[in-house]
Protein backbone atom coordinates (compact mmCIF):
# COMPACT_ATOMS: atom_id res chain seq x y z
CA UNK A 1 0.00 0.00 0.00
CA UNK A 2 1.03 3.57 -0.66
CA UNK A 3 -0.59 6.37 1.33
CA UNK A 4 -2.42 8.58 -1.14
CA UNK A 5 -4.59 10.96 0.85
CA UNK A 6 -5.69 12.14 4.30
CA UNK A 7 -8.26 9.33 4.51
CA UNK A 8 -5.44 6.80 4.25
CA UNK A 9 -3.42 8.61 6.91
CA UNK A 10 -6.39 8.76 9.26
CA UNK A 11 -7.34 5.12 8.75
CA UNK A 12 -3.80 3.84 9.26
CA UNK A 13 -3.22 6.00 12.32
CA UNK A 14 -6.45 4.78 13.88
CA UNK A 15 -5.71 1.08 13.48
CA UNK A 16 -2.06 1.64 14.38
CA UNK A 17 -3.04 3.17 17.71
CA UNK A 18 -5.49 0.35 18.41
CA UNK A 19 -2.99 -2.48 17.91
CA UNK A 20 -0.43 -0.53 19.96
CA UNK A 21 -2.93 -0.27 22.83
CA UNK A 22 -3.64 -3.99 22.67
CA UNK A 23 0.10 -4.78 22.60
CA UNK A 24 0.84 -2.55 25.59
CA UNK A 25 -2.13 -3.78 27.61
CA UNK A 26 -1.03 -7.36 27.05
CA UNK A 27 2.56 -6.62 28.07
CA UNK A 28 1.43 -4.84 31.23
CA UNK A 29 -0.81 -7.76 32.16
CA UNK A 30 1.79 -10.54 31.99
CA UNK A 31 2.35 -12.28 35.31
CA UNK A 32 3.77 -15.71 36.13
CA UNK A 33 1.07 -18.35 36.30
CA UNK A 34 -1.27 -16.98 33.65
CA UNK A 35 -1.89 -18.93 30.45
CA UNK A 36 -1.25 -17.64 26.95
CA UNK A 37 -4.99 -18.03 26.28
CA UNK A 38 -5.73 -15.62 29.12
CA UNK A 39 -3.20 -13.16 27.73
CA UNK A 40 -4.71 -13.48 24.25
CA UNK A 41 -8.13 -12.71 25.70
CA UNK A 42 -6.82 -9.41 27.05
CA UNK A 43 -5.59 -8.38 23.62
CA UNK A 44 -8.77 -9.48 21.90
CA UNK A 45 -10.87 -7.46 24.35
CA UNK A 46 -8.95 -4.29 23.48
CA UNK A 47 -9.42 -4.87 19.75
CA UNK A 48 -13.12 -5.62 20.20
CA UNK A 49 -13.63 -2.51 22.33
CA UNK A 50 -12.36 -0.37 19.46
CA UNK A 51 -14.23 -2.25 16.73
CA UNK A 52 -11.14 -3.85 15.20
CA UNK A 53 -10.92 -7.40 13.85
CA UNK A 54 -7.89 -9.63 14.64
CA UNK A 55 -6.02 -9.91 11.36
CA UNK A 56 -4.52 -13.42 11.74
CA UNK A 57 -7.99 -14.86 12.33
CA UNK A 58 -9.58 -12.80 9.53
CA UNK A 59 -6.87 -13.45 6.93
CA UNK A 60 -5.63 -16.95 7.78
CA UNK A 61 -8.09 -18.49 10.26
CA UNK A 62 -5.37 -18.47 12.93
CA UNK A 63 -6.53 -20.13 16.19
CA UNK A 64 -6.17 -17.00 18.30
CA UNK A 65 -6.64 -13.25 18.20
CA UNK A 66 -2.91 -12.58 18.66
CA UNK A 67 0.33 -14.53 18.40
CA UNK A 68 2.14 -15.23 21.68
CA UNK A 69 5.62 -16.73 21.38
CA UNK A 70 7.74 -17.83 24.33
CA UNK A 71 11.50 -18.41 24.62
CA UNK A 72 12.60 -20.50 21.60
CA UNK A 73 9.36 -19.89 19.67
CA UNK A 74 10.18 -17.16 17.18
CA UNK A 75 6.72 -16.45 15.78
CA UNK A 76 3.10 -17.58 15.41
CA UNK A 77 2.79 -19.09 18.89
CA UNK A 78 -0.79 -20.32 19.37
CA UNK A 79 -2.54 -19.07 22.52
CA UNK A 80 -3.64 -21.93 24.72
CA UNK A 81 -3.03 -23.71 28.01
CA UNK A 82 0.70 -22.98 28.17
CA UNK A 83 1.57 -21.31 31.47
CA UNK A 84 3.87 -18.29 31.48
CA UNK A 85 6.65 -18.64 34.04
CA UNK A 86 9.00 -16.22 35.77
CA UNK A 87 12.07 -15.61 33.63
CA UNK A 88 10.35 -16.49 30.33
CA UNK A 89 10.88 -14.36 27.25
CA UNK A 90 7.37 -13.53 26.04
CA UNK A 91 6.57 -11.95 22.69
CA UNK A 92 3.17 -10.60 21.73
CA UNK A 93 2.43 -9.89 18.07
CA UNK A 94 -0.79 -7.98 17.42
CA UNK A 95 -2.28 -7.18 14.03
CA UNK A 96 -5.79 -6.07 13.20
CA UNK A 97 -8.09 -4.51 10.62
CA UNK A 98 -10.52 -1.60 10.86
CA UNK A 99 -12.39 0.05 7.99
CA UNK A 100 -10.19 -1.66 5.41
CA UNK A 101 -6.84 -0.69 6.98
CA UNK A 102 -4.36 -3.00 8.68
CA UNK A 103 -1.51 -2.47 11.12
CA UNK A 104 0.94 -4.91 12.69
CA UNK A 105 3.12 -4.58 15.81
CA UNK A 106 5.01 -6.70 18.30
CA UNK A 107 7.21 -6.48 21.37
CA UNK A 108 9.04 -8.78 23.76
CA UNK A 109 9.66 -8.73 27.51
CA UNK A 110 11.39 -10.87 30.10
CA UNK A 111 8.91 -11.88 32.80
CA UNK A 112 10.01 -10.65 36.22
CA UNK A 113 12.04 -13.20 38.14
CA UNK A 114 13.80 -13.18 41.51
CA UNK A 115 16.34 -15.75 40.35
CA UNK A 116 19.56 -15.06 38.50
CA UNK A 117 20.13 -16.03 34.89
CA UNK A 118 18.01 -13.48 33.03
CA UNK A 119 20.87 -11.13 32.11
CA UNK A 120 21.39 -12.70 28.67
CA UNK A 121 17.64 -12.65 28.02
CA UNK A 122 17.37 -8.97 28.91
CA UNK A 123 20.36 -8.15 26.72
CA UNK A 124 18.75 -10.02 23.81
CA UNK A 125 15.46 -8.18 24.22
CA UNK A 126 17.13 -4.77 24.44
CA UNK A 127 19.31 -5.49 21.42
CA UNK A 128 16.27 -6.52 19.36
CA UNK A 129 14.50 -3.31 20.32
CA UNK A 130 17.54 -1.21 19.38
CA UNK A 131 17.89 -3.13 16.12
CA UNK A 132 14.33 -2.17 15.19
CA UNK A 133 15.13 1.49 15.84
CA UNK A 134 18.23 1.19 13.66
CA UNK A 135 16.32 -0.51 10.86
CA UNK A 136 13.45 1.97 10.91
CA UNK A 137 15.89 4.88 10.67
CA UNK A 138 16.77 3.66 7.15
CA UNK A 139 13.15 3.82 5.94
CA UNK A 140 13.44 6.92 3.77
CA UNK A 141 12.00 7.32 0.31
CA UNK A 142 14.59 6.68 -2.40
CA UNK A 143 16.83 4.60 -0.14
CA UNK A 144 17.64 0.97 -0.82
CA UNK A 145 15.27 -1.34 1.01
CA UNK A 146 18.13 -3.66 1.96
CA UNK A 147 19.66 -0.94 4.13
CA UNK A 148 17.01 -1.80 6.72
CA UNK A 149 18.35 -5.33 7.07
CA UNK A 150 21.94 -4.16 7.09
CA UNK A 151 21.24 -1.86 10.04
CA UNK A 152 19.38 -4.60 11.93
CA UNK A 153 22.14 -7.17 11.49
CA UNK A 154 24.86 -4.68 12.40
CA UNK A 155 23.15 -3.97 15.72
CA UNK A 156 22.62 -7.68 16.39
CA UNK A 157 26.23 -8.62 15.73
CA UNK A 158 27.57 -5.73 17.79
CA UNK A 159 25.84 -7.30 20.80
CA UNK A 160 26.87 -10.88 20.03
CA UNK A 161 23.55 -12.09 18.61
CA UNK A 162 22.45 -13.49 15.26
CA UNK A 163 19.43 -12.70 13.10
CA UNK A 164 16.83 -15.16 11.87
CA UNK A 165 17.29 -15.22 8.11
CA UNK A 166 14.06 -16.94 7.05
CA UNK A 167 11.67 -14.56 8.83
CA UNK A 168 11.17 -11.03 7.57
CA UNK A 169 9.12 -7.87 7.62
CA UNK A 170 6.60 -7.04 4.91
CA UNK A 171 4.33 -4.50 3.36
CA UNK A 172 1.01 -3.89 5.11
CA UNK A 173 -1.96 -1.54 4.85
CA UNK A 174 -4.78 -2.89 2.71
CA UNK A 175 -3.93 -6.47 3.70
CA UNK A 176 -1.89 -7.99 6.51
CA UNK A 177 0.86 -9.11 4.14
CA UNK A 178 1.52 -7.36 0.84
CA UNK A 179 4.35 -5.94 -1.22
CA UNK A 180 7.15 -5.26 -0.57
CA UNK A 181 7.78 -8.73 0.81
CA UNK A 182 10.96 -10.06 2.38
CA UNK A 183 12.20 -7.06 4.33
CA UNK A 184 15.02 -9.18 5.70
CA UNK A 185 16.97 -8.84 8.94
CA UNK A 186 20.21 -8.86 6.95
CA UNK A 187 21.56 -7.08 3.90
CA UNK A 188 20.54 -8.96 0.78
CA UNK A 189 22.97 -7.44 -1.71
CA UNK A 190 20.97 -8.80 -4.65
CA UNK A 191 17.93 -6.81 -3.53
CA UNK A 192 17.93 -3.61 -5.60
CA UNK A 193 14.48 -2.35 -4.60
CA UNK A 194 14.11 1.27 -3.58
CA UNK A 195 11.69 2.57 -0.97
CA UNK A 196 8.80 4.62 -2.33
CA UNK A 197 7.40 7.69 -0.66
CA UNK A 198 4.24 6.77 1.23
CA UNK A 199 4.93 3.03 1.30
CA UNK A 200 3.50 1.26 4.37
CA UNK A 201 5.84 -1.27 5.95
CA UNK A 202 5.80 -3.64 8.91
CA UNK A 203 9.46 -3.68 9.92
CA UNK A 204 10.35 -6.41 12.41
CA UNK A 205 13.44 -7.82 14.05
CA UNK A 206 14.13 -11.43 14.97
CA UNK A 207 17.31 -11.70 17.03
CA UNK A 208 18.58 -15.04 18.30
CA UNK A 209 21.11 -16.35 20.80
CA UNK A 210 22.14 -19.02 18.29
CA UNK A 211 20.08 -20.22 15.34
CA UNK A 212 19.95 -18.36 12.04
CA UNK A 213 17.00 -20.34 10.70
CA UNK A 214 13.71 -21.50 12.18
CA UNK A 215 11.43 -24.44 11.43
CA UNK A 216 7.66 -24.86 11.44
CA UNK A 217 6.12 -27.39 13.81
CA UNK A 218 3.52 -29.99 12.92
CA UNK A 219 0.64 -27.74 14.02
CA UNK A 220 1.27 -25.69 10.87
CA UNK A 221 1.73 -22.43 12.79
CA UNK A 222 4.36 -22.47 15.52
CA UNK A 223 7.83 -21.43 14.31
CA UNK A 224 10.70 -22.49 16.56
CA UNK A 225 14.50 -22.52 16.59
CA UNK A 226 15.76 -26.09 16.02
CA UNK A 227 18.50 -25.73 18.66
CA UNK A 228 16.15 -24.20 21.27
CA UNK A 229 18.02 -20.89 21.16
CA UNK A 230 16.09 -17.87 22.39
CA UNK A 231 14.47 -15.27 20.10
CA UNK A 232 13.25 -11.71 20.70
CA UNK A 233 11.02 -9.89 18.19
CA UNK A 234 10.00 -6.26 17.90
CA UNK A 235 7.80 -4.72 15.18
CA UNK A 236 6.30 -1.41 14.12
CA UNK A 237 4.13 -0.34 11.21
CA UNK A 238 5.63 2.72 9.53
CA UNK A 239 5.01 4.99 6.55
CA UNK A 240 8.07 5.84 4.47
CA UNK A 241 8.64 9.57 3.85
CA UNK A 242 11.50 11.72 2.57
CA UNK A 243 12.31 12.75 6.15
CA UNK A 244 12.21 9.19 7.47
CA UNK A 245 9.61 6.83 8.92
CA UNK A 246 6.33 7.89 10.48
CA UNK A 247 5.67 5.25 13.14
CA UNK A 248 1.98 4.40 13.41
CA UNK A 249 2.07 1.82 16.21
CA UNK A 250 3.14 3.93 19.20
Amino acid sequence: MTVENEKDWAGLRRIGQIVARARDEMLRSIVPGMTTAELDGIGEAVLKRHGATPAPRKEYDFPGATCISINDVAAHGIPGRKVIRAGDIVNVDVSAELDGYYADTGATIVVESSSEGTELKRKLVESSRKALDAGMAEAKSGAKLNRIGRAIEREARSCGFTVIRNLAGHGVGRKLHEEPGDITNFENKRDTRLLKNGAVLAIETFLSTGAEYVVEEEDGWTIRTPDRSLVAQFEHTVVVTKEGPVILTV
Side-chain angles (χ1 to χ4, degrees), residues 77-90:
I78 300 172
R81 292 179 291 178
K82 184 174 181 60
V83 174
I84 296 171
R85 304 189 184 282
D88 278 345
I89 291 180
V90 180

PDB file of all heavy atoms in Angstrom, residues 77-90:
ATOM      1  N   GLY A  77       3.174 -18.248  17.762  1.00  0.00           N
ATOM      2  CA  GLY A  77       2.793 -19.085  18.886  1.00  0.00           C
ATOM      3  C   GLY A  77       1.290 -19.050  19.103  1.00  0.00           C
ATOM      4  O   GLY A  77       0.679 -17.977  19.154  1.00  0.00           O
ATOM      5  N   ILE A  78       0.668 -20.221  19.221  1.00  0.00           N
ATOM      6  CA  ILE A  78      -0.788 -20.319  19.365  1.00  0.00           C
ATOM      7  C   ILE A  78      -1.175 -20.142  20.835  1.00  0.00           C
ATOM      8  O   ILE A  78      -0.675 -20.859  21.698  1.00  0.00           O
ATOM      9  CB  ILE A  78      -1.291 -21.687  18.868  1.00  0.00           C
ATOM     10  CG1 ILE A  78      -0.933 -21.888  17.394  1.00  0.00           C
ATOM     11  CG2 ILE A  78      -2.797 -21.808  19.071  1.00  0.00           C
ATOM     12  CD1 ILE A  78      -1.230 -23.298  16.894  1.00  0.00           C
ATOM     13  N   PRO A  79      -2.065 -19.207  21.140  1.00  0.00           N
ATOM     14  CA  PRO A  79      -2.540 -19.072  22.525  1.00  0.00           C
ATOM     15  C   PRO A  79      -3.260 -20.335  22.976  1.00  0.00           C
ATOM     16  O   PRO A  79      -4.017 -20.937  22.212  1.00  0.00           O
ATOM     17  CB  PRO A  79      -3.504 -17.879  22.457  1.00  0.00           C
ATOM     18  CG  PRO A  79      -3.130 -17.148  21.208  1.00  0.00           C
ATOM     19  CD  PRO A  79      -2.657 -18.191  20.253  1.00  0.00           C
ATOM     20  N   GLY A  80      -3.003 -20.715  24.231  1.00  0.00           N
ATOM     21  CA  GLY A  80      -3.639 -21.927  24.725  1.00  0.00           C
ATOM     22  C   GLY A  80      -3.392 -22.138  26.205  1.00  0.00           C
ATOM     23  O   GLY A  80      -3.352 -21.179  26.977  1.00  0.00           O
ATOM     24  N   ARG A  81      -3.168 -23.369  26.600  1.00  0.00           N
ATOM     25  CA  ARG A  81      -3.033 -23.712  28.011  1.00  0.00           C
ATOM     26  C   ARG A  81      -1.623 -23.520  28.558  1.00  0.00           C
ATOM     27  O   ARG A  81      -1.401 -23.709  29.756  1.00  0.00           O
ATOM     28  CB  ARG A  81      -3.469 -25.161  28.229  1.00  0.00           C
ATOM     29  CG  ARG A  81      -4.961 -25.387  28.014  1.00  0.00           C
ATOM     30  CD  ARG A  81      -5.333 -26.838  28.214  1.00  0.00           C
ATOM     31  NE  ARG A  81      -4.771 -27.682  27.146  1.00  0.00           N
ATOM     32  CZ  ARG A  81      -4.918 -29.001  27.094  1.00  0.00           C
ATOM     33  NH1 ARG A  81      -5.602 -29.630  28.044  1.00  0.00           N
ATOM     34  NH2 ARG A  81      -4.400 -29.687  26.109  1.00  0.00           N
ATOM     35  N   LYS A  82      -0.677 -23.156  27.710  1.00  0.00           N
ATOM     36  CA  LYS A  82       0.704 -22.984  28.170  1.00  0.00           C
ATOM     37  C   LYS A  82       0.768 -21.913  29.251  1.00  0.00           C
ATOM     38  O   LYS A  82       0.230 -20.815  29.084  1.00  0.00           O
ATOM     39  CB  LYS A  82       1.627 -22.616  27.016  1.00  0.00           C
ATOM     40  CG  LYS A  82       3.101 -22.519  27.428  1.00  0.00           C
ATOM     41  CD  LYS A  82       4.003 -22.300  26.239  1.00  0.00           C
ATOM     42  CE  LYS A  82       5.460 -22.224  26.674  1.00  0.00           C
ATOM     43  NZ  LYS A  82       5.913 -23.474  27.343  1.00  0.00           N
ATOM     44  N   VAL A  83       1.451 -22.222  30.335  1.00  0.00           N
ATOM     45  CA  VAL A  83       1.566 -21.313  31.468  1.00  0.00           C
ATOM     46  C   VAL A  83       2.839 -20.487  31.342  1.00  0.00           C
ATOM     47  O   VAL A  83       3.925 -21.028  31.085  1.00  0.00           O
ATOM     48  CB  VAL A  83       1.573 -22.096  32.799  1.00  0.00           C
ATOM     49  CG1 VAL A  83       1.835 -21.163  33.979  1.00  0.00           C
ATOM     50  CG2 VAL A  83       0.253 -22.835  32.975  1.00  0.00           C
ATOM     51  N   ILE A  84       2.721 -19.190  31.508  1.00  0.00           N
ATOM     52  CA  ILE A  84       3.868 -18.289  31.485  1.00  0.00           C
ATOM     53  C   ILE A  84       4.567 -18.352  32.839  1.00  0.00           C
ATOM     54  O   ILE A  84       3.928 -18.263  33.887  1.00  0.00           O
ATOM     55  CB  ILE A  84       3.414 -16.849  31.177  1.00  0.00           C
ATOM     56  CG1 ILE A  84       2.802 -16.795  29.761  1.00  0.00           C
ATOM     57  CG2 ILE A  84       4.564 -15.877  31.310  1.00  0.00           C
ATOM     58  CD1 ILE A  84       2.130 -15.482  29.439  1.00  0.00           C
ATOM     59  N   ARG A  85       5.889 -18.480  32.802  1.00  0.00           N
ATOM     60  CA  ARG A  85       6.651 -18.637  34.039  1.00  0.00           C
ATOM     61  C   ARG A  85       7.634 -17.478  34.223  1.00  0.00           C
ATOM     62  O   ARG A  85       8.021 -16.819  33.257  1.00  0.00           O
ATOM     63  CB  ARG A  85       7.403 -19.968  34.027  1.00  0.00           C
ATOM     64  CG  ARG A  85       6.481 -21.161  33.819  1.00  0.00           C
ATOM     65  CD  ARG A  85       7.190 -22.485  34.013  1.00  0.00           C
ATOM     66  NE  ARG A  85       6.316 -23.617  33.709  1.00  0.00           N
ATOM     67  CZ  ARG A  85       5.378 -24.073  34.520  1.00  0.00           C
ATOM     68  NH1 ARG A  85       5.197 -23.506  35.707  1.00  0.00           N
ATOM     69  NH2 ARG A  85       4.626 -25.111  34.173  1.00  0.00           N
ATOM     70  N   ALA A  86       8.010 -17.255  35.463  1.00  0.00           N
ATOM     71  CA  ALA A  86       9.001 -16.224  35.770  1.00  0.00           C
ATOM     72  C   ALA A  86      10.285 -16.508  34.999  1.00  0.00           C
ATOM     73  O   ALA A  86      10.740 -17.649  34.928  1.00  0.00           O
ATOM     74  CB  ALA A  86       9.278 -16.193  37.264  1.00  0.00           C
ATOM     75  N   GLY A  87      10.849 -15.464  34.393  1.00  0.00           N
ATOM     76  CA  GLY A  87      12.070 -15.612  33.626  1.00  0.00           C
ATOM     77  C   GLY A  87      11.864 -15.926  32.160  1.00  0.00           C
ATOM     78  O   GLY A  87      12.824 -15.894  31.375  1.00  0.00           O
ATOM     79  N   ASP A  88      10.623 -16.223  31.741  1.00  0.00           N
ATOM     80  CA  ASP A  88      10.345 -16.488  30.333  1.00  0.00           C
ATOM     81  C   ASP A  88      10.540 -15.222  29.498  1.00  0.00           C
ATOM     82  O   ASP A  88      10.281 -14.101  29.957  1.00  0.00           O
ATOM     83  CB  ASP A  88       8.899 -16.954  30.137  1.00  0.00           C
ATOM     84  CG  ASP A  88       8.710 -18.439  30.426  1.00  0.00           C
ATOM     85  OD1 ASP A  88       9.703 -19.173  30.510  1.00  0.00           O
ATOM     86  OD2 ASP A  88       7.539 -18.853  30.567  1.00  0.00           O
ATOM     87  N   ILE A  89      10.967 -15.416  28.257  1.00  0.00           N
ATOM     88  CA  ILE A  89      10.885 -14.365  27.250  1.00  0.00           C
ATOM     89  C   ILE A  89       9.526 -14.507  26.570  1.00  0.00           C
ATOM     90  O   ILE A  89       9.212 -15.569  26.025  1.00  0.00           O
ATOM     91  CB  ILE A  89      12.009 -14.496  26.200  1.00  0.00           C
ATOM     92  CG1 ILE A  89      13.365 -14.174  26.806  1.00  0.00           C
ATOM     93  CG2 ILE A  89      11.738 -13.574  25.012  1.00  0.00           C
ATOM     94  CD1 ILE A  89      14.513 -14.299  25.819  1.00  0.00           C
ATOM     95  N   VAL A  90       8.712 -13.474  26.624  1.00  0.00           N
ATOM     96  CA  VAL A  90       7.368 -13.529  26.037  1.00  0.00           C
ATOM     97  C   VAL A  90       7.222 -12.449  24.974  1.00  0.00           C
ATOM     98  O   VAL A  90       7.454 -11.268  25.244  1.00  0.00           O
ATOM     99  CB  VAL A  90       6.272 -13.353  27.107  1.00  0.00           C
ATOM    100  CG1 VAL A  90       4.888 -13.414  26.468  1.00  0.00           C
ATOM    101  CG2 VAL A  90       6.392 -14.424  28.190  1.00  0.00           C
TER     102      VAL A  90
END
